C-alpha cells in the first residue's frame, strides 16, 4: 500500500489534476484517430467549442462531467476508459439484451485456452500479441454478460 494514498482501501494513488488532464487528452486523441475527426468535428459532436477540444487534447484544461458523459454517449463507453482507469474502473457498452452471452463467453474461454496451450507461441503463458488478438472476443463476452446483468438488475426494479 502506498504511503501517499489517503484511502487505505484504495490500492492505487488518488487521481491528480495532471492525471485527469492526461486521461482526457488520451480520450480526445483516441476519438479523433478512430473517427478521423478534426478538432472542429469533435467539438460539434460534443457541443463544445473547438478551443475546448484543442485545450483538452493538449492537457491544458479540464472537461466537465457533462462533456465526459457526452463522450460516452456519442462515441461509446470504451472511450471514457482512460478517465475511469483513474479510479480503477472500466466502462463497456451493454449489448442488446436479446443476445445470449454464452456463445461469446465460450469463444473467449476457448481463446484463453489456446493462448495457454503448451504448444502455443508463448508456451503455457500468453504472449502480448495473443492477448491483443483475443481482446475483441474478450470485450464481446464482457459486453454480452453486462447485458444479461443489466436485464437481471431491471427485474429487481419491478419486483
Amino acid at each position: 500500500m502506498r504511503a501517499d494514498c489517503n484511502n487505505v482501501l484504495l490500492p492505487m494513488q488518488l487521481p491528480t489534476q495532471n492525471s485527469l488532464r492526461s486521461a482526457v487528452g488520451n480520450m480526445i486523441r483516441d476519438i479523433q484517430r478512430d473517427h478521423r475527426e478534426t478538432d472542429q468535428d469533435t467539438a460539434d459532436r460534443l457541443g463544445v467549442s473547438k478551443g475546448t477540444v484543442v485545450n483538452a487534447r493538449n492537457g491544458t484544461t479540464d472537461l466537465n462531467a457533462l462533456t465526459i458523459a457526452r463522450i460516452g454517449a456519442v462515441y461509446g463507453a470504451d472511450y471514457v476508459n482512460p478517465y475511469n482507469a483513474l479510479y480503477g474502473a472500466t466502462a463497456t457498452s451493454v449489448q442488446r439484451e436479446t443476445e445470449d452471452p454464452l456463445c461469446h463467453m465460450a469463444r473467449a474461454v476457448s481463446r484463453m485456452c489456446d493462448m495457454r496451450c503448451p504448444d502455443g507461441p508463448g508456451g503455457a503463458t500468453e504472449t502480448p500479441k495473443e492477448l491483443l488478438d483475443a481482446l475483441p472476443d474478450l470485450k464481446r463476452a464482457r459486453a454480452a454478460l453486462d447485458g444479461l446483468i443489466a436485464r437481471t438488475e431491471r427485474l429487481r426494479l419491478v419486483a
Side-chain angles (χ1 to χ4, degrees):
M1 189 69 54
R2 293 195 214 334
D4 60 345
C5 184
N6 295 332
N7 182 346
V8 295
L9 300 176
L10 189 65
M12 63 182 64
Q13 203 168 16
L14 292 174
T16 64
Q17 187 172 36
N18 286 339
S19 65
L20 169 67
R21 287 182 176 180
S22 176
V24 166
N26 288 334
M27 290 163 44
I28 298 296
R29 283 188 292 280
D30 289 348
I31 287 167
Q32 292 181 332
R33 179 195 64 235
D34 295 349
H35 295 272
R36 296 189 172 130
E37 289 186 353
T38 65
D39 293 328
Q40 188 64 57
D41 295 334
T42 306
D44 291 344
R45 289 187 74 188
L46 294 176
V48 298
S49 72
K50 177 182 173 183
T52 297
V53 171
V54 170
N55 290 335
R57 182 174 36 79
N58 293 332
T60 58
T61 192
D62 301 325
L63 290 181
N64 64 33
L66 177 60
T67 304
I68 291 171
R70 284 181 180 162
I71 288 172
V74 170
Y75 296 101
D78 288 346
Y79 284 100
V80 296
N81 277 336
Y83 179 84
N84 293 333
L86 295 174
Y87 54 92
T90 61
T92 185
S93 297
V94 176
Q95 296 288 335
R96 293 173 292 138
E97 53 184 89
T98 58
E99 194 162 330
D100 184 359
L102 190 57
C103 177
H104 296 294
M105 291 170 53
R107 187 173 295 120
V109 168
S110 175
R111 289 291 295 257
M112 291 171 61
C113 290
D114 289 344
M115 285 188 291
R116 295 185 181 161
C117 178
D119 299 337
T125 305
E126 62 272 357
T127 66
K129 182 184 180 335
E130 288 175 310
L131 279 171
L132 289 171
D133 289 346
L135 187 58
D137 287 329
L138 295 170
K139 284 184 173 183
R140 278 191 292 273
R142 179 182 68 188
L145 187 57
D146 283 345
L148 176 62
I149 291 169
R151 187 179 80 194
T152 305
E153 286 177 337
R154 280 193 297 275
L155 294 174
R156 289 192 309 183
L157 298 175
V158 178

